[in-house]
Coordinates of all heavy atoms in Angstrom, one line a residue:
M1 N 51.6 118.1 161.1 CA 52.5 116.9 160.9 C 51.7 115.8 160.3 O 52.1 115.1 159.4 CB 53.1 116.5 162.3 CG 54.2 115.4 162.1 SD 55.6 115.9 161.1 CE 56.4 114.3 161.0
L2 N 50.5 115.5 160.9 CA 49.6 114.5 160.4 C 49.2 114.8 158.9 O 49.1 113.9 158.1 CB 48.3 114.5 161.2 CG 47.4 113.4 160.9 CD1 47.9 112.0 161.3 CD2 46.1 113.5 161.7
K3 N 49.1 116.1 158.5 CA 48.7 116.4 157.2 C 49.8 116.1 156.2 O 49.6 115.6 155.1 CB 48.6 118.0 157.1 CG 47.6 118.4 156.0 CD 47.2 119.9 156.2 CE 46.2 120.2 155.1 NZ 45.9 121.6 155.2
I4 N 51.0 116.3 156.7 CA 52.2 115.9 155.8 C 52.2 114.3 155.5 O 52.3 113.8 154.4 CB 53.6 116.3 156.4 CG1 53.6 117.9 156.5 CG2 54.8 115.7 155.7 CD1 54.7 118.4 157.4
I5 N 52.0 113.6 156.6 CA 51.9 112.2 156.5 C 50.8 111.7 155.6 O 51.1 110.8 154.7 CB 51.8 111.5 157.9 CG1 53.0 111.7 158.7 CG2 51.5 110.0 157.8 CD1 52.9 111.5 160.2
L6 N 49.7 112.3 155.7 CA 48.5 112.0 154.8 C 48.8 112.4 153.4 O 48.5 111.6 152.4 CB 47.3 112.8 155.3 CG 46.4 112.2 156.4 CD1 45.4 113.2 156.8 CD2 45.8 110.8 155.8
T7 N 49.5 113.5 153.2 CA 49.9 113.9 151.8 C 50.8 112.9 151.2 O 50.7 112.5 150.1 CB 50.6 115.3 151.8 OG1 49.6 116.2 152.5 CG2 50.8 115.8 150.4
V8 N 51.8 112.5 152.0 CA 52.9 111.5 151.5 C 52.1 110.2 151.2 O 52.3 109.6 150.2 CB 54.0 111.4 152.6 CG1 54.9 110.2 152.2 CG2 54.7 112.7 152.6
A9 N 51.2 109.8 152.0 CA 50.5 108.5 151.9 C 49.7 108.6 150.6 O 49.7 107.6 149.9 CB 49.6 108.3 153.1
V10 N 49.0 109.7 150.4 CA 48.1 109.9 149.2 C 49.1 109.8 147.9 O 48.8 109.1 147.0 CB 47.3 111.1 149.2 CG1 46.7 111.5 147.8 CG2 46.3 111.0 150.3
I11 N 50.2 110.6 147.9 CA 51.1 110.5 146.8 C 51.6 109.1 146.6 O 51.6 108.7 145.4 CB 52.2 111.5 147.1 CG1 51.7 113.0 147.0 CG2 53.4 111.4 146.1 CD1 52.6 114.0 147.5
A12 N 52.0 108.5 147.6 CA 52.5 107.1 147.6 C 51.5 106.1 146.9 O 51.8 105.3 146.1 CB 53.0 106.5 148.9
A13 N 50.2 106.3 147.4 CA 49.1 105.4 146.9 C 48.9 105.8 145.5 O 48.8 104.8 144.7 CB 47.8 105.9 147.7
V14 N 48.9 107.0 145.0 CA 48.7 107.3 143.6 C 49.8 106.8 142.8 O 49.7 106.1 141.7 CB 48.6 108.8 143.5 CG1 48.6 109.2 141.9 CG2 47.2 109.3 144.1
Y15 N 51.0 106.9 143.3 CA 52.2 106.6 142.6 C 52.2 105.0 142.4 O 52.4 104.5 141.3 CB 53.5 106.9 143.4 CG 54.8 106.8 142.7 CD1 55.2 107.7 141.8 CD2 55.7 105.8 143.0 CE1 56.3 107.7 141.1 CE2 56.9 105.7 142.3 CZ 57.2 106.7 141.3 OH 58.4 106.6 140.7
F16 N 52.0 104.3 143.5 CA 51.8 102.8 143.6 C 50.8 102.4 142.6 O 51.0 101.5 141.8 CB 51.5 102.4 144.9 CG 51.7 100.9 145.2 CD1 53.0 100.4 145.3 CD2 50.6 100.1 145.4 CE1 53.1 99.1 145.5 CE2 50.8 98.7 145.6 CZ 52.0 98.2 145.7
F17 N 49.7 103.0 142.5 CA 48.6 102.7 141.7 C 49.0 102.8 140.2 O 48.7 102.0 139.3 CB 47.3 103.6 142.0 CG 46.1 103.1 141.3 CD1 45.4 102.1 141.8 CD2 45.5 103.8 140.3 CE1 44.2 101.7 141.2 CE2 44.4 103.5 139.6 CZ 43.8 102.4 140.1
L18 N 49.7 104.0 139.9 CA 50.1 104.3 138.5 C 51.1 103.3 138.1 O 51.1 102.9 136.8 CB 50.6 105.7 138.4 CG 49.5 106.8 138.5 CD1 50.1 108.2 138.5 CD2 48.6 106.7 137.3
I19 N 52.0 103.0 138.9 CA 53.1 102.0 138.6 C 52.5 100.6 138.5 O 52.9 99.9 137.5 CB 54.2 102.0 139.8 CG1 54.9 103.4 139.8 CG2 55.2 100.9 139.6 CD1 55.7 103.8 138.5
K20 N 51.7 100.2 139.4 CA 51.3 98.8 139.4 C 50.3 98.5 138.3 O 50.4 97.4 137.7 CB 50.5 98.6 140.7 CG 50.6 97.1 141.1 CD 50.3 96.8 142.5 CE 50.5 95.4 142.9 NZ 50.0 95.0 144.2
K21 N 49.4 99.4 137.9 CA 48.5 99.0 136.9 C 49.0 98.5 135.5 O 48.6 97.4 135.1 CB 47.5 100.2 136.6 CG 46.1 99.7 136.4 CD 45.2 100.9 136.3 CE 43.8 100.2 136.1 NZ 42.8 101.3 135.8
P22 N 50.0 99.2 135.0 CA 50.6 98.7 133.7 C 51.2 97.3 133.9 O 51.2 96.5 133.1 CB 51.6 99.8 133.3 CG 51.2 100.9 134.1 CD 50.7 100.4 135.3
A23 N 51.8 97.1 135.1 CA 52.5 95.7 135.3 C 51.4 94.6 135.4 O 51.6 93.6 134.8 CB 53.1 95.8 136.7
V24 N 50.2 94.9 135.9 CA 49.2 93.9 136.0 C 48.7 93.7 134.5 O 48.5 92.6 134.1 CB 48.1 94.4 136.9 CG1 46.8 93.6 136.7 CG2 48.5 94.4 138.4
E25 N 48.6 94.8 133.9 CA 48.1 94.7 132.4 C 49.1 93.9 131.6 O 48.6 93.0 130.8 CB 48.0 96.1 131.9 CG 47.1 96.3 130.7 CD 45.7 96.0 131.2 OE1 45.2 96.3 132.2 OE2 44.9 95.3 130.3
K26 N 50.3 94.1 131.8 CA 51.4 93.3 131.1 C 51.3 91.9 131.4 O 51.4 91.0 130.5 CB 52.8 93.9 131.4 CG 53.8 93.5 130.4 CD 55.1 94.2 130.9 CE 56.2 93.9 129.8 NZ 57.5 94.3 130.3
K27 N 51.0 91.6 132.7 CA 51.0 90.2 133.2 C 49.9 89.5 132.5 O 50.0 88.3 132.0 CB 50.9 90.1 134.7 CG 51.4 88.9 135.3 CD 51.2 88.8 136.8 CE 52.5 89.2 137.6 NZ 52.3 89.2 139.0
R28 N 48.7 90.3 132.4 CA 47.5 89.6 131.9 C 47.7 89.3 130.4 O 47.4 88.3 129.9 CB 46.4 90.7 132.1 CG 45.0 90.1 131.9 CD 44.0 91.0 132.2 NE 43.9 91.4 133.6 CZ 43.3 92.5 134.1 NH1 42.7 93.3 133.3 NH2 43.3 92.8 135.3
R29 N 48.5 90.3 129.7 CA 48.8 90.1 128.3 C 49.6 89.0 128.1 O 49.4 88.1 127.2 CB 49.4 91.4 127.7 CG 49.1 91.5 126.3 CD 49.8 92.8 125.8 NE 49.3 94.0 126.4 CZ 49.9 95.0 126.7 NH1 51.2 95.1 126.4 NH2 49.4 96.0 127.3
N30 N 50.6 88.8 128.9 CA 51.6 87.6 128.8 C 50.8 86.3 129.0 O 51.1 85.4 128.3 CB 52.7 87.7 129.9 CG 53.7 88.8 129.6 OD1 53.7 89.2 128.4 ND2 54.5 89.0 130.5
R31 N 49.9 86.3 130.0 CA 49.1 85.1 130.3 C 48.2 84.9 129.0 O 48.1 83.7 128.6 CB 48.2 85.3 131.5 CG 47.7 84.0 132.0 CD 46.8 84.1 133.2 NE 47.6 84.6 134.3 CZ 47.0 85.1 135.5 NH1 45.7 85.2 135.6 NH2 47.8 85.4 136.5
A32 N 47.6 85.8 128.4 CA 46.8 85.7 127.3 C 47.6 85.1 126.2 O 47.1 84.2 125.4 CB 46.1 87.0 126.9
E33 N 48.8 85.5 126.0 CA 49.7 85.1 124.9 C 49.9 83.6 125.3 O 50.1 82.8 124.3 CB 51.0 85.9 124.8 CG 50.9 87.1 123.9 CD 52.1 88.0 124.0 OE1 53.0 87.5 124.4 OE2 51.9 89.1 123.8
A34 N 50.3 83.3 126.5 CA 50.6 81.8 126.8 C 49.4 80.9 126.6 O 49.6 79.9 126.1 CB 50.9 81.8 128.4
E35 N 48.3 81.5 126.8 CA 47.0 80.7 126.6 C 46.8 80.4 125.1 O 46.5 79.3 124.7 CB 45.8 81.4 127.2 CG 45.7 81.5 128.7 CD 45.2 80.3 129.4 OE1 44.2 79.8 128.9 OE2 45.9 79.9 130.3
A36 N 47.1 81.5 124.3 CA 47.0 81.4 122.9 C 48.0 80.3 122.3 O 47.7 79.7 121.3 CB 47.2 82.8 122.3
K37 N 49.1 80.3 122.9 CA 50.1 79.4 122.5 C 49.9 78.0 122.8 O 50.4 77.0 122.3 CB 51.6 79.8 123.0 CG 52.3 80.8 122.2 CD 53.5 81.2 122.8 CE 54.3 82.3 122.1 NZ 55.6 82.7 122.8
K38 N 49.1 77.7 123.8 CA 48.9 76.4 124.3 C 48.6 75.2 123.4 O 49.3 74.3 123.4 CB 47.8 76.4 125.4 CG 48.3 75.9 126.8 CD 47.2 76.0 127.8 CE 47.8 75.9 129.2 NZ 46.7 76.0 130.2
P39 N 47.6 75.4 122.4 CA 47.5 74.4 121.5 C 48.7 74.0 120.7 O 49.5 75.0 120.3 CB 46.3 74.8 120.6 CG 45.7 76.0 121.4 CD 46.9 76.6 122.2
G40 N 48.9 72.8 120.3 CA 50.1 72.5 119.7 C 51.1 71.6 120.4 O 51.5 72.0 121.5
L41 N 51.3 70.4 120.0 CA 52.2 69.5 120.7 C 53.6 69.7 120.6 O 54.4 69.1 121.3 CB 51.8 68.1 120.2 CG 50.5 67.5 120.7 CD1 50.1 66.3 120.0 CD2 50.5 67.2 122.2
D42 N 54.0 70.6 119.7 CA 55.5 70.9 119.6 C 55.9 71.9 120.7 O 57.0 72.4 120.7 CB 55.8 71.4 118.2 CG 55.0 72.7 117.8 OD1 54.0 72.9 118.5 OD2 55.5 73.3 116.9
E43 N 54.9 72.3 121.6 CA 55.3 73.2 122.7 C 56.2 72.5 123.7 O 56.3 71.3 123.7 CB 54.1 73.8 123.2 CG 53.5 74.9 122.5 CD 54.6 76.0 122.2 OE1 55.3 76.5 123.1 OE2 54.8 76.4 121.0
D44 N 56.7 73.3 124.5 CA 57.7 72.9 125.6 C 56.9 72.0 126.7 O 56.4 72.5 127.6 CB 58.3 74.0 126.2 CG 59.7 73.7 126.8 OD1 60.2 72.5 126.5 OD2 60.2 74.6 127.5
I45 N 57.0 70.7 126.5 CA 56.3 69.9 127.6 C 57.5 68.9 128.1 O 58.5 68.7 127.5 CB 55.3 68.9 127.0 CG1 55.7 68.2 125.7 CG2 54.0 69.8 126.7 CD1 54.8 67.0 125.4
M46 N 57.2 68.4 129.2 CA 58.2 67.5 129.9 C 57.9 66.1 129.5 O 56.9 65.6 129.5 CB 58.2 67.6 131.5 CG 58.5 69.1 131.9 SD 60.2 69.7 131.4 CE 61.2 68.7 132.5
V47 N 59.0 65.5 129.0 CA 58.9 64.1 128.6 C 59.9 63.3 129.5 O 61.0 63.7 129.9 CB 59.1 63.9 127.1 CG1 58.0 64.5 126.3 CG2 60.5 64.4 126.6
E48 N 59.6 62.0 129.6 CA 60.4 61.1 130.4 C 61.3 60.3 129.4 O 61.0 59.8 128.5 CB 59.6 60.1 131.2 CG 60.3 59.4 132.2 CD 59.4 58.5 133.1 OE1 58.2 58.4 132.8 OE2 59.9 57.9 134.0
C49 N 62.6 60.3 129.9 CA 63.7 59.5 129.1 C 63.3 58.1 129.1 O 63.1 57.6 130.2 CB 65.1 59.8 129.7 SG 66.4 58.8 129.0
E50 N 63.3 57.5 128.1 CA 62.9 56.0 128.0 C 63.9 55.2 128.7 O 63.6 54.1 129.2 CB 62.9 55.6 126.5 CG 62.2 54.4 126.1 CD 60.7 54.4 126.4 OE1 60.2 55.5 126.4 OE2 60.1 53.4 126.6
K51 N 65.2 55.6 128.8 CA 66.3 54.7 129.4 C 66.4 55.1 130.9 O 66.4 54.1 131.7 CB 67.5 55.0 128.7 CG 68.6 54.0 129.1 CD 69.7 53.9 128.1 CE 70.7 52.8 128.4 NZ 71.8 52.8 127.5
C52 N 66.6 56.3 131.3 CA 66.9 56.5 132.7 C 65.8 57.2 133.5 O 65.9 57.3 134.7 CB 68.2 57.4 132.8 SG 68.0 59.1 132.3
G53 N 64.8 57.6 132.8 CA 63.6 58.1 133.5 C 63.7 59.6 133.9 O 62.8 60.1 134.6
T54 N 64.7 60.2 133.4 CA 64.9 61.6 133.7 C 63.9 62.5 132.8 O 63.7 62.2 131.7 CB 66.3 62.1 133.3 OG1 67.3 61.3 134.1 CG2 66.6 63.6 133.5
F55 N 63.3 63.4 133.4 CA 62.4 64.3 132.7 C 63.1 65.4 132.0 O 63.9 66.1 132.6 CB 61.4 64.9 133.7 CG 60.2 63.8 133.9 CD1 60.3 63.0 135.0 CD2 59.1 63.8 133.1 CE1 59.4 62.1 135.2 CE2 58.1 62.8 133.3 CZ 58.3 61.9 134.3
V56 N 62.9 65.5 130.8 CA 63.5 66.6 130.0 C 62.5 67.3 129.1 O 61.4 66.7 128.9 CB 64.6 66.1 129.1 CG1 65.9 65.7 129.8 CG2 64.1 64.9 128.2
S57 N 62.7 68.6 128.8 CA 61.7 69.3 127.9 C 61.7 68.7 126.6 O 62.8 68.2 126.1 CB 62.0 70.8 127.9 OG 63.0 71.0 127.0
S58 N 60.6 68.6 125.9 CA 60.5 68.0 124.6 C 61.4 68.7 123.5 O 61.8 68.1 122.6 CB 59.0 68.1 124.1 OG 58.6 69.4 124.1
K59 N 61.7 69.9 123.8 CA 62.6 70.7 122.9 C 64.1 70.2 123.0 O 64.9 70.1 122.1 CB 62.7 72.2 123.2 CG 61.4 72.9 122.7 CD 61.4 74.3 123.1 CE 60.1 75.0 122.6 NZ 59.9 76.4 123.2
E60 N 64.4 69.7 124.2 CA 65.8 69.2 124.4 C 65.9 67.8 124.2 O 67.1 67.2 124.1 CB 66.3 69.6 125.9 CG 66.6 71.1 126.0 CD 66.8 71.6 127.4 OE1 67.5 70.8 128.2 OE2 66.2 72.5 127.9
A61 N 64.8 67.1 124.3 CA 64.8 65.6 124.2 C 65.3 65.2 122.8 O 65.1 65.9 121.9 CB 63.5 65.1 124.5
I62 N 65.9 64.0 122.9 CA 66.3 63.5 121.6 C 65.3 62.4 121.2 O 65.0 61.4 122.1 CB 67.8 62.9 121.7 CG1 68.7 64.0 122.0 CG2 68.1 62.1 120.5 CD1 69.9 63.7 122.7
I63 N 64.7 62.4 120.1 CA 63.7 61.4 119.7 C 64.3 60.4 118.8 O 64.8 60.7 117.8 CB 62.5 62.0 119.1 CG1 61.9 63.1 120.2 CG2 61.4 61.0 118.8 CD1 61.1 64.2 119.4
V64 N 64.4 59.1 119.2 CA 64.8 58.0 118.5 C 63.8 56.9 118.4 O 63.4 56.5 119.4 CB 66.2 57.5 119.0 CG1 66.7 56.4 118.2 CG2 67.2 58.6 119.1
G65 N 63.4 56.7 117.2 CA 62.4 55.6 117.0 C 61.0 55.9 117.8 O 60.3 55.1 118.3
G66 N 60.7 57.2 117.8 CA 59.4 57.5 118.4 C 59.5 57.7 119.9 O 58.4 57.9 120.6
K67 N 60.7 57.4 120.5 CA 60.8 57.5 122.0 C 61.7 58.6 122.4 O 62.7 59.0 121.7 CB 61.3 56.2 122.5 CG 60.3 55.1 122.4 CD 60.9 53.7 122.8 CE 59.7 52.7 122.8 NZ 60.3 51.3 123.0
Y68 N 61.5 59.2 123.6 CA 62.3 60.3 124.0 C 63.4 59.9 124.9 O 63.3 59.0 125.6 CB 61.3 61.2 124.9 CG 60.3 61.9 124.0 CD1 58.9 61.5 124.0 CD2 60.6 63.1 123.3 CE1 58.0 62.1 123.3 CE2 59.7 63.7 122.5 CZ 58.4 63.1 122.6 OH 57.3 63.8 121.9
Y69 N 64.5 60.6 124.7 CA 65.7 60.3 125.5 C 66.3 61.6 126.0 O 66.3 62.6 125.3 CB 66.8 59.6 124.7 CG 66.3 58.1 124.2 CD1 65.8 58.0 123.0 CD2 66.5 57.1 125.1 CE1 65.3 56.7 122.6 CE2 66.0 55.8 124.7 CZ 65.5 55.6 123.5 OH 65.0 54.4 123.0
C70 N 66.9 61.6 127.2 CA 67.3 62.8 127.8 C 68.7 63.3 127.1 O 69.0 64.4 127.1 CB 67.6 62.7 129.3 SG 68.9 61.5 129.7
S71 N 69.5 62.4 126.7 CA 70.8 62.7 126.1 C 71.2 61.6 125.0 O 70.5 60.7 124.8 CB 71.8 62.6 127.2 OG 72.0 61.3 127.7
K72 N 72.2 62.0 124.3 CA 72.5 61.1 123.2 C 73.0 59.8 123.7 O 72.9 58.8 123.1 CB 73.7 61.8 122.4 CG 73.2 62.9 121.5 CD 74.2 63.6 120.7 CE 73.7 64.6 119.8 NZ 74.7 65.3 119.0
S73 N 73.7 59.8 124.8 CA 74.2 58.5 125.4 C 73.1 57.6 125.8 O 73.1 56.3 125.6 CB 75.1 58.8 126.7 OG 74.5 59.3 127.6
C74 N 71.9 58.1 126.3 CA 70.7 57.4 126.6 C 70.1 56.9 125.3 O 69.6 55.8 125.3 CB 69.7 58.2 127.5 SG 70.1 58.1 129.2
A75 N 70.1 57.7 124.3 CA 69.5 57.4 123.0 C 70.3 56.4 122.2 O 69.9 55.7 121.3 CB 69.3 58.6 122.1
G76 N 71.6 56.3 122.6 CA 72.5 55.2 122.0 C 72.9 55.8 120.7 O 73.4 55.0 119.8
V77 N 73.0 57.1 120.6 CA 73.6 57.7 119.3 C 74.8 58.5 119.7 O 75.0 58.9 120.8 CB 72.5 58.5 118.5 CG1 71.5 57.6 117.9 CG2 72.0 59.6 119.3
K78 N 75.7 58.9 118.6 CA 76.8 59.6 119.0 C 76.7 61.1 118.4 O 76.1 61.3 117.5 CB 78.1 58.9 118.3 CG 78.6 57.9 119.3 CD 79.9 57.2 118.7 CE 80.3 56.1 119.7 NZ 81.5 55.5 119.1
Ligands
LIG101 ZN1 68.3 59.4 130.0

């Protein structure tokens, strides 16, 4: 009985090891890609709305006169 448990444990360990390794590798690659992307101010950063103080991502923010706004109503445009 103990032998069966040990066998199952070894198989599980090997299986876990084989499954987990590529995932770690992938995560590391994603991080490397993220690091590589970091330089550049046009990336997704949080900016504060000039009017109401809400933080919005720079991609969604509306820029009027060099200032960031969270929405068109804050920016005063239609
Ligand atoms: Zn706002």
Side-chain angles (χ1 to χ4, degrees):
M1 190 58 187
L2 187 67
K3 207 172 184 180
I4 294 164
I5 292 166
L6 271 173
T7 306
V8 170
V10 167
I11 290 166
V14 170
Y15 195 74
F16 194 69
F17 190 73
L18 285 175
I19 293 297
K20 203 164 186 185
K21 218 177 180 185
V24 170
E25 203 62 37
K26 201 178 178 188
K27 201 181 265 182
R28 196 175 294 162
R29 202 177 304 144
N30 283 347
R31 194 181 293 167
E33 273 172 27
E35 293 279 314
K37 273 184 184 174
K38 241 178 192 174
L41 285 167
D42 59 339
E43 278 307 307
D44 204 11
I45 52 158
M46 296 305 282
V47 291
E48 193 176 0
C49 173
E50 197 65 25
K51 193 166 185 181
C52 69
T54 303
F55 280 90
V56 285
S57 79
S58 58
K59 280 176 185 168
E60 287 168 46
I62 294 152
I63 302 160
V64 177
K67 286 172 179 175
Y68 292 101
Y69 297 93
C70 68
S71 62
K72 283 180 179 177
S73 60
C74 275
V77 294
K78 277 183 183 177

